[in-house]
Amino acid sequence: MRHNFLRKYIPIFDWGRDYDKTALGNDMIAAVIVTIMLIPQSLAYALLAGLPPEAGLYASIAPIILYAIFGTSRALAVGPVAVVSLMTAAAIGNLAETGTVGYALAALTLAALSGAILLAMGVFKLGFLANFLSHPVIAGFITASGMIIAASQLKHILGVDASGHNLWEIVTSLIAHLPETNQTTLIIGACATGFLFWVRKGLKPALRKLGLGARSADVITKAGPVFAVFATTAATWYLGLADKGVKIVGSVPQSLPPLTIPDFSPTLMADLLVPAILISVIGFVESISVAQTLAAKRRQRINPDQELIGLGAANIGAAFTGGYPVTGGFARSVVNFDAGAQTPAAGAFTAVGLAIAAVALTPLVYFLPKATLAATIIVAVLSLVDFSILKTSWRYSKADFVAVSATVLLTLGFGVEIGVTSGVVLSIGLFLYRTSRPHIAEVGLVPDTQHFRNINRHKVVTDPSVLTIRIDESLYFANARFLEDFLLDRVVGDKKLKHVILMCSAINEIDLSALESLEAINHRLDEMGIVLHLSEVKGPVMDRLKCAHFLEELTGKVFLSQYEAITALAKEPTVSILKPKTPEPDKTAQNG
């Protein structure tokens, strides 16, 4: 019993018992590749968050180890990511000045709060809450955030002091400072950006043409940012470009992550609570999406609630080791997966590699131009920008298009916090809108079968004295009145109608508000001389109805099947009396 508990809540006891030399070898190779990729990326994302570059390395060591112990994904790589880094900067930028102790303390506190929220969600199994963020809205938010991040890094490419929390502020600030552009910095930034874009698209095919193996070509391609870092750092040092106005990383502490204590003052925690919730939800959605996608390729299982615990532990680890909020990153996880990582131990080995880098390699980045790190960020985040979601949503669902467009525009115009908040509100609003107007179909019997289909889509037979309505949604407070209005509008004036059957095959839940509407429908129909019946009521729904007086007051019967109901209520117990109904076009009705 205890062993099963440990395997469930501490997954390392599950995959660790089958760990062998083959897995060790694969994990070590993956760790080397990911470590090479993460060194410049971690430094860059820390600067994006407004923190010293070493904070990116610190946020990539203890969190990875903790996730390896508590997480369920065997390929997810946890650490700083672009969107969360931007949200961190937005959350604490108004509370403290960049570069101060107060700013760093706020980042630690934000990580601690985020970790606590994620842990609480995991313990109470609240992972389903993330489902309220629709994919189109998340895609719109990430697209807009990618544009803001890319624009915010142009100041490093140009070598100017620009600022802003949204796209408009950033662009106007850049234009105002454009005359101050440092030409040398611009050359370095433009060359690094162009090189990194070429690495992504052209380096691997070029290496393959030269006869290099696929694995070797892939490793060298993933190490592309390291080549850019090495070349620009060497050029800056050799040519003395720092003296010509090129901004460099400068001195980075040569040490392992320090023990740090967040600031738990009530005032600061109150200021950071809402941003922490937003970061937790967005981070979890991004992480679980990546984890489930990669797990499906190997037919592995991801436990969302345990993932919350793993990410929560990772963030708390970041809070006490000099880091800031982290989550599972798409790019690094895909690299980890493609490199052959078999278990979360690959992440632990990556942490060891980054720890070595933090101790031994930090002096080598003293002359690293910030323009190179900016180029790394720009190339990484532009892959997140996907405007095709606008075209897709326009074709598929106008409501989704409105939600996506609003999220993009609000994020670009007012910043990430308002953007993500609007995304959450729009996602919930979209859900309520759709379910508040459920698809309701009048159905008839398909000839020579026992199946019932929409009269506007299929050639079916009906009886003028019997009306069958199928509700394709659970009934709750938001849509109960819609059903009531629809049904009463349909029956008013129909003199031949004697029976109404509610076909409940798609109803999984009926709440108290919906029950009151059903009681009202039953009463109103009774006053009209029409009998109300139910058919195909699911067991759990029937159990709930038995707890109320509705079934006792129901004027008709509850039938096991719709065919049984129509056979019993038709003028004669044969299908032959039913009359064909000419199908009519119905663009809003669903199939069936």
Side-chain angles (χ1 to χ4, degrees):
M1 186 74 176
R2 182 182 177 186
H3 183 64
N4 290 334
F5 176 85
L6 290 175
R7 287 176 57 189
K8 182 177 180 180
Y9 293 103
I10 309 179
I12 192 173
F13 286 103
D14 182 22
W15 58 262
R17 58 183 183 151
D18 298 323
Y19 203 68
D20 55 24
K21 290 182 179 180
T22 301
L24 174 63
N26 290 332
D27 286 345
M28 289 289 287
I29 293 172
V32 170
I33 296 172
V34 175
T35 300
I36 292 171
M37 173 188 176
L38 285 188
I39 291 174
Q41 196 177 79
S42 298
L43 298 172
Y45 288 156
L47 292 177
L48 175 60
L51 294 162
E54 64 270 16
L57 290 176
Y58 297 161
S60 300
I61 297 175
I64 296 179
I65 295 174
L66 288 167
Y67 179 82
I69 296 172
F70 295 102
T72 59
S73 172
R74 303 198 175 195
L76 191 70
V78 172
V81 299
V83 173
V84 171
S85 297
L86 179 65
M87 293 178 72
T88 298
I92 60 182
N94 295 326
L95 302 178
E97 187 176 345
T98 304
T100 63
V101 174
Y103 192 96
L105 276 175
L108 297 176
T109 307
L110 188 60
L113 277 174
S114 180
I117 291 167
L118 288 164
L119 275 177
M121 290 176 67
V123 169
F124 291 103
K125 301 186 182 302
L126 300 179
F128 70 91
L129 292 176
N131 296 334
F132 285 103
L133 276 171
S134 69
H135 171 71
V137 167
I138 286 293
F141 170 71
I142 291 177
T143 292
S145 297
M147 293 176 64
I148 292 176
I149 292 169
S152 71
Q153 295 307 297
L154 290 177
K155 64 181 181 181
H156 297 300
I157 300 292
L158 299 172
V160 299
D161 293 322
S163 60
H165 294 95
N166 57 61
L167 188 63
W168 173 253
E169 291 178 357
I170 292 170
V171 170
T172 53
S173 181
L174 285 170
I175 293 173
H177 290 86
L178 205 57
E180 304 166 13
T181 300
N182 183 289
Q183 299 297 328
T184 307
T185 301
L186 177 59
I187 292 171
I188 292 174
C191 290
T193 304
F195 172 76
L196 291 174
F197 271 119
W198 175 77
V199 164
R200 284 206 162 199
K201 300 292 184 181
L203 181 57
K204 187 173 181 178
L207 293 174
R208 292 289 287 149
K209 286 181 179 179
L210 293 175
L212 212 61
R215 189 68 176 269
S216 300
D218 194 53
V219 172
I220 294 174
T221 301
K222 297 296 188 298
V226 177
F227 299 146
V229 166
F230 176 79
T232 55
T233 301
T236 303
W237 166 74
Y238 183 75
L239 299 175
L241 299 181
D243 298 328
K244 298 179 181 180
V246 175
K247 295 180 180 179
I248 58 176
V249 169
S251 180
V252 177
Q254 196 172 352
S255 67
L256 291 172
L259 177 62
T260 52
I261 305 297
D263 181 359
F264 293 115
S265 62
T267 303
L268 180 60
M269 292 182 68
D271 290 336
L272 294 176
L273 181 60
V274 172
I277 293 173
L278 296 176
I279 287 174
S280 300
V281 173
I282 291 295
F284 174 64
V285 169
E286 180 177 353
S287 180
I288 198 69
S289 299
V290 176
Q292 289 178 335
T293 299
L294 297 179
K297 293 182 178 181
R298 292 179 179 170
R299 298 188 179 183
Q300 295 170 347
R301 179 177 173 271
I302 297 298
N303 183 335
D305 293 320
Q306 186 61 34
E307 282 297 290
L308 284 165
I309 293 174
L311 292 173
N315 276 278
I316 290 175
F320 287 92
T321 57
Y324 66 99
V326 298
T327 192
F330 176 76
R332 70 186 64 180
S333 298
V334 171
V335 170
N336 196 39
F337 180 88
D338 291 342
Q342 295 294 307
T343 72
F349 296 145
T350 300
V352 172
L354 292 171
I356 294 171
V359 172
L361 301 181
T362 50
L364 301 179
V365 299
Y366 182 90
F367 288 101
L368 173 61
K370 289 187 177 180
T372 303
L373 294 180
T376 302
I377 294 174
I378 290 172
V379 173
V381 299
L382 286 182
S383 65
L384 303 176
V385 176
D386 179 19
F387 286 109
S388 66
I389 188 66
L390 292 171
K391 182 178 180 181
T392 302
S393 60
W394 173 259
R395 288 181 174 177
Y396 190 78
S397 168
K398 298 301 186 290
D400 277 328
F401 174 78
V402 171
V404 173
S405 301
T407 303
V408 171
L409 293 175
L410 287 170
T411 303
L412 293 177
F414 298 97
V416 292
E417 285 193 6
I418 291 180
V420 71
T421 303
S422 66
V424 173
V425 173
L426 284 168
S427 293
I428 296 174
L430 195 58
F431 167 77
L432 291 175
Y433 172 76
R434 285 171 172 164
T435 56
S436 68
R437 301 174 59 83
H439 178 257
I440 300 176
E442 183 176 342
V443 299
L445 182 66
V446 178
D448 301 321
T449 73
Q450 295 185 14
H451 300 292
F452 291 79
R453 291 293 183 268
N454 193 327
I455 63 172
N456 293 325
R457 287 182 174 270
H458 300 271
K459 291 183 178 181
V460 295
V461 286
T462 61
D463 187 303
S465 67
V466 181
L467 169 66
T468 297
I469 296 295
R470 189 189 70 211
I471 307 103
D472 294 334
E473 183 69 62
S474 291
L475 298 178
Y476 73 117
F477 65 91
N479 63 20
R481 188 59 184 267
F482 181 82
L483 170 64
E484 189 176 341
D485 292 341
F486 176 92
L487 191 55
L488 294 177
D489 288 343
R490 170 61 181 82
V491 302
V492 168
D494 192 340
K495 303 299 184 182
K496 296 181 179 180
L497 192 61
K498 301 299 180 185
H499 301 277
V500 170
I501 308 170
L502 293 185
M503 187 175 175
C504 305
S505 55
I507 297 177
N508 298 315
E509 179 73 25
I510 297 177
D511 75 357
L512 189 58
S513 297
L515 177 63
E516 291 176 353
S517 286
L518 290 177
E519 291 173 343
I521 290 170
N522 183 55
H523 178 68
R524 294 284 296 277
L525 291 179
D526 187 32
E527 291 178 337
M528 298 178 190
I530 300 173
V531 182
L532 177 65
H533 308 270
L534 306 180
S535 73
E536 302 188 9
V537 181
K538 294 182 178 179
V541 177
M542 181 63 78
D543 293 340
R544 187 69 63 86
L545 293 177
K546 287 179 180 177
C547 296
H549 299 292
F550 174 69
L551 295 179
E552 299 172 8
E553 298 171 357
L554 184 66
T555 55
K557 298 179 180 179
V558 179
F559 293 94
L560 183 63
S561 71
Q562 178 60 28
Y563 186 76
E564 178 187 342
I566 200 67
T567 303
L569 299 176
K571 293 177 182 177
E572 297 179 12
T574 61
V575 178
S576 60
I577 65 165
L578 304 176
K579 300 178 180 180
K581 177 143 183 123
T582 304
E584 300 173 2
D586 183 3
K587 294 182 179 179
T588 61
Q590 299 174 4
N591 243 344

